[in-house]
Amino acid sequence: MKLMALDGNSLINRAFYGVKPLNAPDGMPTNAIYGFLNILLKLLEEESPDALCVAFDMKGPTFRHEQFEGYKAQRKGMPDELAVQMPALKEVLDAMNVARRELQGWEADDLLGTMAAQADQQGWETVIVTGDRDSLQLITEHVRVKLVSTRMGQTTTREMTPESFYEEYGFEPRRLIDLKALMGDASDNIPGVPGIGEKTALDLLRRGETLQQIYQNMDGLELKQGVRRKLTEGRGMALLSYDLATIRCDAPLDFKPQDALLKKPDEPRLYQLFVRLGFQKLIDKMGLSAQGVQNARRPECPAEMIADDAQADALLERLRGGQPCAVFAAPGTDAAAVACNGRCFVALRGVLSGYDGFLSALFAPDIAKTVHGWKNLYAGLLREGVDGQGVGFDTELAAYLLDPNAGSYALERLALSELGYELPPAAGFSPDALSPLGDRQGAADTLAAYAAAVLALADRQRPRLQEWGMMPLLLDIELPLSPVLARMEREGMALDRTQLADFGKTLTARVGELEREIHGYAGESFNIGSTKQLGAVLFEKLGLKVIKKTKTGYSTDAEVLEKLRGSHPIIGCILEYRTLTKLTSTYVDGLLKVVGEDGRVHTTFQQTVTNTGRLSSADPNLQNIPVRSELGGQVRKCFVPREGWVYVDADYSQIELRILAHVANDAHMLAAFESGEDIHAVTASQVFGVPLSGVTSLMRRRAKAVNFGIVYGISAFSLADDIGVTRAEAQQYIDAYLQSYSGVRGYMENIRKKAHEDGYVSTLYGRRRPLPELRSSNFNLRSFGERVALNMPIQGTAADIMKIAMIAVDARLRREGLRARLVLQVHDELMVEAPAEEREEVQRILEEEMAGAASLRVRLPAEATWGDNWYDAKH
């Protein structure tokens, strides 16, 4: 039988500092609870214990504090944002029916030791899980310790046994107490022997001596005079420290391992807790449902099946009267549900003979509708030949605006977190369910539940959007953009597969050459993609300078290799090898796999992914094709327009710097843009104190790095690394910049202050980015939050302006009856595929609409160029 005993305080601390800030729907921090539970689930899977118990510390002094007033005196109190999570974690553990123990006056370590002793007496095996090494003294033939660490959300464990402990320390686990008695323990403020450090303590213990033997045999030991004196004078402290460091295994704890046998969780209670905490992923992972949950039943809205055209017309007429309604359509739009005024109506293509006409009328502009996921729904309507209109609210987009950090905006998750009930599985309206042999009434009821949830959700979201001033952002930018993106996805971009395949063969041949060169420099064949094997070659065989080590060995990441560039010819080959293999797998092989039957690549534009408001591209990601490299250019050359058509490409000139000039109202920066001078050269002139004519290319390059880095809150350390100067020089550049651009300095100071006061930052168009990181007690997280506070209003405003431009360009192309269509957006760049005869007109439209998308204190120029492929259109 196996008992798994967890150090609750240690693990929740590691989860708190290792998992990014998360918040429940009510705003309570939850990252520590979420991280703890993921650690626990991973451990249960790895260990499969028979029993489980979690030990916690209690507030107040322990017997050790009574022995030594200074015990743990330097420890800071638990951060407020962690303390508030402790009661909730214990509530979750109780709902999971996990045994837990805490005892006034005793530490969790003592409870773990006592549990292990009790288990050993009954012939059980024990695995102790902690993040602290104190418990290593408990290791025996029947007790293992798993050391846990969590970093950037990733948890790793290291198992310690008598053998692995001896291999690391050179003596048996119990004598860890002797080590702490001699050298002390700064984390617990155990004093040890003054002047005796780790090296001396380890040397004494590895001779086979215990603390007691050391003091009994002082005369017989070969000791330096200073060490002998320190040991003699510090004997009292050594004995006190030994007592403080000893984990007691006889705490008066009411515990038997049988008390902690694993039990099934109280699912309804756990489900409700996870809904309250916003843990949808854990609900899914643990297979929890709302069955048996009190007060979690969704409102009844049985489906009224629309069986004939007369019923359909009657419903449409009612909706035209302005009654608020929500529409939810099944994927493929073979069924549509309408919820309004407490009633739900469902039309199925296989039941209603006039279904196509009903769908067209339902999505006409004279019926105001709320939907969930307008972009995907519009794309489905397009496939049916319907140009959907009349959508006035989208609960998916609203949820994204209200919480851009959430990550998921699935209707099922929002129903749980916002409405408190569970929707039936979407499989209930699958094609099989909708078929003549399927459960059509069941499918209709499921669709009706989803439509009713959309209507209820919108009622909760509207007041918050209005209160936060984001309703115009939804109605004027995000909603109108959805059909634009859907049409762009449908258009796609043609790919010259033959040209791309030939390029791939060239890359493969070069990769083979590089592999032979690398093996030649190494003097052996090895797996270049293996970090372990590559590290052994570079740092052991070739003796290159070790830049960075990880827990698993030498680091060979890009940063390390760049620092080693020039130290050996093999480094350049490895960097090129990595570039080419990634280019081959991601952009050659990857693109060839996703070409549609029409010979075009249809990316998906994601509207609800980034927390700055920027669009992203996926399946495939066309925004990540290298821009400046020659090889990336070769990939772009393979994207070609239709025969007789061209690509017209336009991008904004330094849009983020122009927005910075506007929001900071910086006189020098505004003047530079107004004059039409090169902003980076002007900055170099200001920073280096030389006339504009005296600015060198090196000065300009460094000023450019400061220009773009300053709004990201770049540090002197990072800037120095970027431009190859000392940290002191980099700091001088930053100081000179902020002295010259005092408006920017004022903006940075004000936005940091306001972000701390408000807990969020926003764009010029009202888009918000919550910053829970600013409340963290962790310096690195707070610093990250401040950098986001500086950058998000600039980058987010640029994203908003680009979306406005996309809507305007699309509308004008269609309004003027042109065949040209938008096909791509990459950050500050828009591309249109146009018949050759429309090229000049499209260039003018792009430049005019992009320049007119925002009214700033500076001009917002966009220059349009054209070409016979993506690369040529950009150059």
Side-chain angles (χ1 to χ4, degrees), residues 92 105 179 190 245 317 348 410 412 415 482 590 594 673 695 748 781 807 854:
V92 168
L179 179 64
I190 295 175
E317 196 56 40
L348 305 181
E412 296 89 336
S482 291
V594 295
F673 278 121
V695 171
M748 293 171 69
L781 279 175
I807 296 165

Side-chain angles (χ1 to χ4, degrees), residues 532-702:
K532 185 176 181 180
Q533 292 182 36
L534 179 60
V537 167
L538 296 180
F539 306 113
E540 294 175 11
K541 186 165 186 179
L542 298 179
L544 299 183
K545 180 183 177 182
V546 177
I547 304 293
K548 183 169 63 176
K549 279 190 130 182
T550 66
K551 291 183 179 179
T552 56
Y554 302 108
S555 171
T556 61
D557 62 20
E559 182 184 358
V560 167
L561 293 184
E562 282 295 342
K563 288 181 178 177
L564 290 171
R565 191 190 283 274
S567 62
H568 192 287
I570 196 173
I571 299 299
C573 293
I574 293 168
L575 286 166
E576 186 182 356
Y577 174 89
R578 285 185 175 178
T579 298
L580 298 190
T581 51
K582 180 179 181 181
L583 204 61
T584 302
S585 61
T586 305
Y587 299 115
V588 177
D589 299 340
L591 286 172
L592 288 172
K593 287 177 185 175
V594 295
V595 181
E597 292 181 4
D598 57 358
R600 299 172 76 84
V601 172
H602 300 269
T603 188
T604 297
F605 293 103
Q606 298 173 311
Q607 199 174 352
T608 59
V609 170
T610 71
N611 46 33
T612 62
R614 271 191 168 189
L615 297 170
S616 62
S617 164
D619 303 322
N621 184 349
L622 297 183
Q623 295 185 340
N624 267 7
I625 297 175
V627 177
R628 293 178 178 84
S629 75
E630 182 182 344
L631 294 170
Q634 292 297 320
V635 174
R636 291 180 175 224
K637 285 180 180 179
C638 298
F639 284 91
V640 294
R642 298 173 177 86
E643 187 174 349
W645 291 48
V646 295
Y647 283 143
V648 184
D649 186 282
D651 61 3
Y652 281 115
S653 171
Q654 300 161 337
I655 183 172
E656 291 188 8
L657 287 179
R658 291 174 186 272
I659 292 168
L660 175 60
H662 172 84
V663 298
N665 197 16
D666 187 286
H668 284 134
M669 193 172 278
L670 290 171
F673 278 121
E674 190 62 34
S675 69
E677 296 282 0
D678 177 351
I679 185 65
H680 303 310
V682 171
T683 298
S685 172
Q686 298 276 352
V687 168
F688 294 105
V690 298
L692 202 56
S693 58
V695 171
T696 66
S697 59
L698 179 62
M699 289 177 179
R700 184 186 182 279
R701 184 174 71 83
R702 291 179 174 176

Side-chain angles (χ1 to χ4, degrees), residues 300-304 318 323 326 338-345 448 451-452 455:
E300 294 294 330
C301 192
E304 300 180 35
R318 182 185 308 168
Q323 195 171 73
V338 179
C340 61
N341 197 26
R343 297 177 67 184
C344 292
F345 305 88
L455 194 60

Side-chain angles (χ1 to χ4, degrees), residues 751-764:
I751 200 70
R752 282 194 190 102
K753 181 182 177 184
K754 185 169 173 57
H756 278 283
E757 290 172 353
D758 298 340
Y760 67 89
V761 288
S762 56
T763 69
L764 290 179

Side-chain angles (χ1 to χ4, degrees), residues 312-346:
D313 290 341
L315 174 61
L316 292 168
E317 196 56 40
R318 182 185 308 168
L319 297 177
R320 290 187 185 105
Q323 195 171 73
C325 74
V327 177
F328 185 86
T333 60
D334 287 330
V338 179
C340 61
N341 197 26
R343 297 177 67 184
C344 292
F345 305 88
V346 177

Side-chain angles (χ1 to χ4, degrees), residues 734-785:
I734 293 173
D735 292 343
Y737 178 97
L738 293 176
Q739 186 174 355
S740 297
Y741 295 114
S742 57
V744 174
R745 183 181 65 234
Y747 161 76
M748 293 171 69
E749 292 170 353
N750 291 336
I751 200 70
R752 282 194 190 102
K753 181 182 177 184
K754 185 169 173 57
H756 278 283
E757 290 172 353
D758 298 340
Y760 67 89
V761 288
S762 56
T763 69
L764 290 179
Y765 296 87
R767 184 186 305 277
R768 287 191 181 190
R769 162 73 150 89
L771 291 170
E773 297 89 350
L774 294 178
R775 297 195 300 270
S776 175
S777 58
N778 183 296
F779 174 79
N780 289 333
L781 279 175
R782 285 201 311 277
S783 298
F784 169 76

Side-chain angles (χ1 to χ4, degrees), residues 127-251:
V127 55
I128 293 172
V129 184
T130 179
D132 299 325
R133 287 181 166 259
D134 297 348
S135 294
L136 296 182
Q137 63 183 269
L138 300 173
I139 295 172
T140 67
E141 291 301 321
H142 304 292
V143 179
R144 292 179 287 120
V145 171
K146 272 197 164 183
L147 292 174
V148 173
S149 62
T150 298
R151 182 175 175 81
M152 302 299 288
Q154 299 298 312
T155 297
T156 57
T157 59
R158 183 185 176 195
E159 187 164 297
M160 298 294 287
T161 63
E163 294 75 21
S164 60
F165 183 93
Y166 191 89
E167 184 179 340
E168 181 173 340
Y169 286 91
F171 47 81
E172 60 272 16
R174 189 67 184 167
R175 290 171 62 201
L176 181 66
I177 307 169
D178 300 308
L179 179 64
K180 291 199 171 197
L182 288 168
M183 61 175 281
D185 183 346
S187 66
D188 288 340
N189 206 33
I190 295 175
V193 177
I196 297 295
E198 182 179 15
K199 183 178 179 181
T200 301
L202 285 171
D203 176 60
L204 288 168
L205 295 174
R206 285 169 180 167
R207 297 187 198 182
E209 305 289 341
T210 64
L211 183 71
Q212 185 179 11
Q213 290 168 338
I214 288 169
Y215 279 106
Q216 287 175 345
N217 305 322
M218 284 266 285
D219 294 337
L221 292 174
E222 293 183 11
L223 298 173
K224 292 180 180 178
Q225 191 61 35
V227 172
R228 186 183 302 275
R229 178 177 53 79
K230 290 171 184 175
L231 287 171
T232 302
E233 293 174 356
R235 181 169 186 165
M237 278 298 186
L239 296 176
L240 172 63
S241 298
Y242 186 93
D243 207 32
L244 293 172
T246 301
I247 292 176
R248 305 295 197 270
C249 297
D250 58 353

